[in-house]
Amino acid sequence: MLYSFSKQDKLLPLPAIKGLEIRENNEPMFLSIINQISLEEVTRRFLNNNKVYVAYVNEVPAAFGWVAIKKARIGELNHEFNLPINPCYLWNFRTFPEFRGLGIYVHLFQYILTVEQLTTDYFWIIHSPKNKSSQRGISKAGFKYLNRFLRFGIHFGCLF
């Protein structure tokens, strides 16, 4: 399922979460551990101009999500692609089990949208049709449903 958000879209109001802080992180060892990926993979993502934001609750990592600026990867499809100029692709989000159901996922999206829309016009995100919790969070954050993502033959640039 493919969703988008643009600078013209409105962020939906969210209730505050006590102790929540979100910030960009660029510490390879920390990111390797919380993402459960190799240091080489973290380095590859950074070399491809990806960023990662981490949500903390009372300084404990609660969730993270990656932002692709130039090159993106859909792990489930084992497909990597170059992005057209100005959109971001949001990917590889995870909320740790002890923090699920608190709304952190949606806050993380909205924080990223707020920060990144200073330099980006459009954002895209996909989720598996089976992943209903992602679907709810993506919709609550204000993303608009675009298309059922049956095949990756869609060229993102033609969507806007």
Side-chain angles (χ1 to χ4, degrees):
M1 310 298 269
L2 175 64
Y3 296 79
S4 74
F5 189 91
S6 76
K7 281 186 172 183
Q8 291 74 37
D9 294 333
K10 302 268 189 250
L11 291 172
L12 304 175
L14 298 174
I17 298 174
K18 187 177 180 181
L20 179 65
E21 183 183 349
I22 301 168
R23 55 188 182 261
E24 186 177 350
N25 189 297
N26 58 8
E27 301 169 42
M29 183 58 77
F30 170 77
L31 295 170
S32 172
I33 293 167
I34 69 164
N35 281 257
Q36 298 178 331
I37 58 176
S38 68
L39 280 172
E40 292 80 14
E41 175 63 15
V42 172
T43 301
R44 187 187 68 75
R45 291 178 183 193
F46 284 144
L47 289 173
N48 282 330
N49 292 319
N50 284 233
K51 300 178 183 181
V52 63
Y53 290 88
V54 179
Y56 302 85
V57 175
N58 299 319
E59 293 301 318
V60 176
F64 63 84
W66 287 84
V67 178
I69 309 293
K70 293 185 178 179
K71 188 181 268 190
R73 178 169 182 72
I74 301 174
E76 295 83 356
L77 299 176
N78 194 27
H79 187 77
E80 193 167 271
F81 57 97
N82 292 321
L83 288 163
I85 296 172
N86 247 353
C88 283
Y89 174 66
L90 307 181
W91 66 294
N92 195 194
F93 278 71
R94 187 177 318 141
T95 303
F96 298 117
E98 59 272 28
F99 295 101
R100 292 181 184 156
L102 302 176
I104 294 168
Y105 187 59
V106 181
H107 278 271
L108 182 55
F109 279 137
Q110 287 198 353
Y111 181 87
I112 291 169
L113 294 171
T114 300
V115 170
E116 294 295 331
Q117 66 179 253
L118 298 173
T119 57
T120 302
D121 294 331
Y122 296 102
F123 300 85
W124 297 315
I125 190 166
I126 65 169
H127 71 83
S128 160
K130 295 178 183 178
N131 192 339
K132 299 301 181 193
S133 60
S134 284
Q135 179 181 4
R136 284 188 301 273
I138 290 166
S139 296
K140 284 180 184 178
F143 285 87
K144 293 186 173 118
Y145 175 75
L146 289 178
N147 196 338
R148 184 171 172 84
F149 203 69
L150 296 175
R151 292 182 172 250
F152 195 75
I154 297 171
H155 173 64
F156 281 127
C158 70
L159 293 173
F160 300 100

